[in-house]
Amino acid sequence: MLKASDNPPTIWPEVESIRNFTGLWWVAHTKSRNEKALAHDLIGKNISYFLPMTWKVHQRRRRKLRSLLPLFGGYLFFCGGKNERLESLRTNRIANVIEVKDQQKLLGELLQIEQALRAGTPLTPHRYIRQGQRCRVTAGSLADLQGIVVRMKNAMRLVLQIDMLGQAASIEIDTDMIELIDEPVKSS
């Protein structure tokens, strides 16, 4: 297990925003439990990446352990051209590189995850949701985030989705800070 200081940064290079990255976005589907090692390898190859992570606390023999885990297990997002894609494959830590067809859509979804992380809002992995109410946050540090609202354990959560991966993360949200964007999708 890594010490907290040995974990790779979430964003590299540590810029103001992933919006400043240049090149095409790629999604690395990593070999099992290789996300952080791949991030360290990409730093050595000077390849920009985004690896959203969240703290998980678990108990073992009366001790609480905290682990920094990838928010989307098995995936790392990186930016560059075909040369960077080839260099990332040479790390031997990637099972498959997924080409991103809609660059702007993925970037928009990743920017929402980045904004939530920078606001210090605890994110938890969440199953991907196809139905529900699409809402926008109207106030606070999360203003303009868009997602689907769900109720879990007597709390409302806003689910932020990465459509391309079929995965999502959620944050707790107060219902007076959101507005409805469209009507809920009805199941057939």
Side-chain angles (χ1 to χ4, degrees):
M1 185 166 8
L2 293 176
K3 293 186 283 185
S5 60
D6 293 337
N7 283 298
T10 297
I11 298 171
W12 196 87
E14 297 181 60
V15 293
E16 188 175 305
S17 173
I18 60 172
R19 177 178 281 129
N20 298 339
F21 287 177
T22 57
L24 297 174
W25 280 98
W26 303 89
V27 180
H29 184 199
T30 66
K31 292 180 178 177
S32 181
R33 301 172 57 93
N34 269 257
E35 303 92 344
K36 292 181 187 179
L38 175 60
H40 283 296
D41 289 351
L42 294 181
I43 290 171
K45 294 178 178 288
N46 201 27
I47 298 174
S48 304
Y49 72 81
F50 181 46
L51 177 61
M53 294 184 280
T54 188
W55 287 100
K56 181 174 180 173
V57 179
H58 55 281
Q59 192 137 355
R60 185 188 290 171
R61 296 186 191 151
R62 297 186 205 163
R63 287 181 40 189
K64 280 189 180 180
L65 300 173
R66 286 176 26 128
S67 302
L68 188 61
L69 301 176
L71 188 58
F72 305 112
Y75 296 96
L76 177 144
F77 307 92
F78 68 97
C79 219
K82 292 187 184 206
N83 287 339
E84 286 79 9
R85 179 185 172 276
L86 286 173
E87 284 300 313
S88 72
L89 285 167
R90 288 188 180 124
T91 65
N92 202 28
R93 297 187 187 280
I94 298 176
N96 185 30
V97 173
I98 304 167
E99 183 180 358
V100 177
K101 300 284 187 202
D102 191 340
Q103 293 281 315
Q104 291 299 33
K105 181 176 182 181
L106 177 66
L107 179 58
E109 292 171 344
L110 293 178
L111 285 168
Q112 293 197 109
I113 300 292
E114 178 190 27
Q115 183 180 351
L117 288 170
R118 287 191 187 277
T121 306
L123 281 165
T124 57
H126 199 283
R127 68 181 164 78
Y128 185 77
I129 298 173
R130 297 186 196 288
Q131 299 178 44
Q133 295 180 316
R134 189 146 188 79
C135 294
R136 177 183 305 112
V137 179
T138 58
S141 61
L142 303 176
D144 295 323
L145 287 187
Q146 294 181 22
I148 296 171
V149 174
V150 296
R151 178 175 292 283
M152 291 182 60
K153 298 180 184 175
N154 299 325
M156 296 302 280
R157 297 191 69 82
L158 185 68
V159 178
L160 307 174
Q161 302 185 152
I162 305 294
D163 286 336
M164 187 179 154
L165 299 182
Q167 293 199 30
S170 67
I171 55 175
E172 192 168 326
I173 193 78
D174 205 347
T175 54
D176 62 355
M177 294 180 69
I178 57 175
E179 65 182 6
L180 192 62
I181 295 174
D182 60 14
E183 293 301 313
V185 176
K186 305 233 181 195
S187 54
S188 39

